[in-house]
């Protein structure tokens, strides 16, 4: 079975540009979350989506937005890129149902974004 | 509010010796706790999880962790380190509500020497 897949794997952008990152969850998983991992730090929660609705948002500016599609895949968009947005962006999916609150997240390998 | 504190930013061991990675948590209700591992340039892989069943949790690759409520700790151990265990390890807490975000510790880098 395919795991969580993310594209692209690497991306280089210039300050002020816009970027779109894509994620496909594990088949059957309806919840997708996005995390930002700056070098040397633990991942920080950005968004969670379930059934195409935003269910949680971390402490990130409005330049960050996301959406979930009917097939449960997701996009993360970042506008007006800053140097500090350089990071590994991780997507994770989780099966939702009875007891899902304690089911672990399954992570993709991430998209490495470099802003110059 | 929930949080986790990983007490060591870097742990170095020799191959074949025991591993201990320390984690303390803070939660206003019964938490779910996880350990994830991240190898260089890779995503995160689940090692094990605690969800209020047995307090001693066994995970993959010989790792285990013990939930101690009185000490608010969830330390990760392995009896004998292998070179392939060298990686970044994250202690993680999650709330009981569906969809709650995971809160990650800052990570512990495990180095294994031959």
């Amino acid at each position: 079975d395919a795991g969580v897949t993310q594209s692209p794997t690497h991306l280089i952008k210039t300050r002020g540009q816009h970027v779109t990152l894509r994620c496909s969850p594990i088949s059957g998983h309806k919840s997708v979350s996005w995390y930002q991992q700056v070098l040397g730090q633990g991942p920080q929660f950005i968004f969670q989506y379930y059934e195409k609705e935003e269910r949680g948002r971390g402490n990130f500016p409005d330049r960050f937005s996301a959406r979930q599609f009917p097939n449960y895949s997701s996009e993360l968009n970042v506008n007006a890129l800053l140097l500090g947005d350089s990071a590994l962006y991780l997507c994770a999916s989780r099966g939702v149902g009875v007891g899902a609150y304690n089911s672990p997240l399954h992570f993709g390998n991430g998209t490495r974004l470099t802003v110059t | 509010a929930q949080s986790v504190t990983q007490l060591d930013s870097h742990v170095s061991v020799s191959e074949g010796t025991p591993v201990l990675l320390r984690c303390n948590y803070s939660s206003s209700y019964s938490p779910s706790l996880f350990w994830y591992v991240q190898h260089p340039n890779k995503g995160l892989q689940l090692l094990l999880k605690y969800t209020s069943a047995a307090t001693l949790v066994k995970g993959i690759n010989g790792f285990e962790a013990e939930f101690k409520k009185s000490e608010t700790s969830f330390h990760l151990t392995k009896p004998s380190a292998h070179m392939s265990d060298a990686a970044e390890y994250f202690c993680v807490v999650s709330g009981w509500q569906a969809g709650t975000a995971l809160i990650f510790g800052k990570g512990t880098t495990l180095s294994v020497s031959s």
Side-chain angles (χ1 to χ4, degrees):
Chain A
D1 289 339
V4 177
T5 58
Q6 293 186 243
S7 63
T9 55
H10 294 84
L11 203 53
I12 300 175
K13 291 286 189 178
T14 303
R15 276 178 298 176
Q17 286 188 316
H18 162 271
V19 68
T20 297
L21 311 180
R22 296 178 175 83
C23 171
S24 293
I26 291 172
S27 178
H29 285 191
K30 299 180 180 180
S31 176
V32 170
S33 300
W34 288 94
Y35 286 77
Q36 180 197 63
Q37 186 178 18
V38 174
L39 196 63
Q41 300 290 323
Q44 297 289 316
F45 172 69
I46 309 176
F47 285 111
Q48 189 205 17
Y49 276 77
Y50 171 60
E51 290 287 10
K52 295 165 285 182
E53 291 188 7
E54 182 182 305
R55 299 302 179 107
R57 185 186 181 110
N59 188 24
F60 280 80
D62 292 343
R63 299 185 295 107
F64 288 76
S65 63
R67 54 179 176 168
Q68 187 177 32
F69 300 98
N71 65 354
Y72 304 111
S73 67
S74 178
E75 283 183 353
L76 175 69
N77 296 284
V78 187
N79 293 322
L81 285 167
L82 303 174
L83 294 179
D85 295 331
S86 295
L88 181 67
Y89 288 85
L90 295 162
C91 175
S93 72
R94 171 190 258 167
V96 178
V98 175
Y101 65 88
N102 60 11
S103 67
L105 289 181
H106 298 268
F107 286 85
N109 285 337
T111 294
R112 173 75 62 188
L113 172 65
T114 302
V115 182
T116 62
Chain B
Q2 298 161 284
S3 66
V4 288
T5 302
Q6 292 184 243
L7 300 175
D8 307 291
S9 59
H10 197 162
V11 171
S12 296
V13 300
S14 299
E15 193 173 24
T17 63
V19 175
L20 170 63
L21 305 183
R22 299 182 295 163
C23 172
N24 288 347
Y25 72 90
S26 174
S27 179
S28 54
Y29 37 76
S30 183
S32 292
L33 293 160
F34 309 85
W35 276 96
Y36 280 86
V37 62
Q38 186 176 37
H39 288 91
N41 300 313
K42 293 289 187 182
L44 292 150
Q45 180 185 19
L46 177 70
L47 277 178
L48 50 82
K49 65 175 183 177
Y50 165 78
T51 54
S52 76
T55 56
L56 183 62
V57 181
K58 294 187 183 299
I60 62 171
N61 300 333
F63 284 94
E64 62 181 38
E66 186 172 8
F67 174 75
K68 292 186 176 180
K69 187 175 180 180
S70 60
E71 299 176 10
T72 62
S73 69
F74 190 58
H75 300 336
L76 181 70
T77 61
K78 183 174 181 177
S80 177
H82 191 273
M83 295 294 287
S84 61
D85 294 328
E88 189 80 9
Y89 291 79
F90 293 98
C91 182
V92 183
V93 65
S94 174
W96 61 271
Q97 295 165 307
T100 301
L102 296 185
I103 308 299
F104 283 77
K106 292 187 175 181
T108 298
T109 302
L110 176 64
S111 299
V112 183
S113 59
S114 57

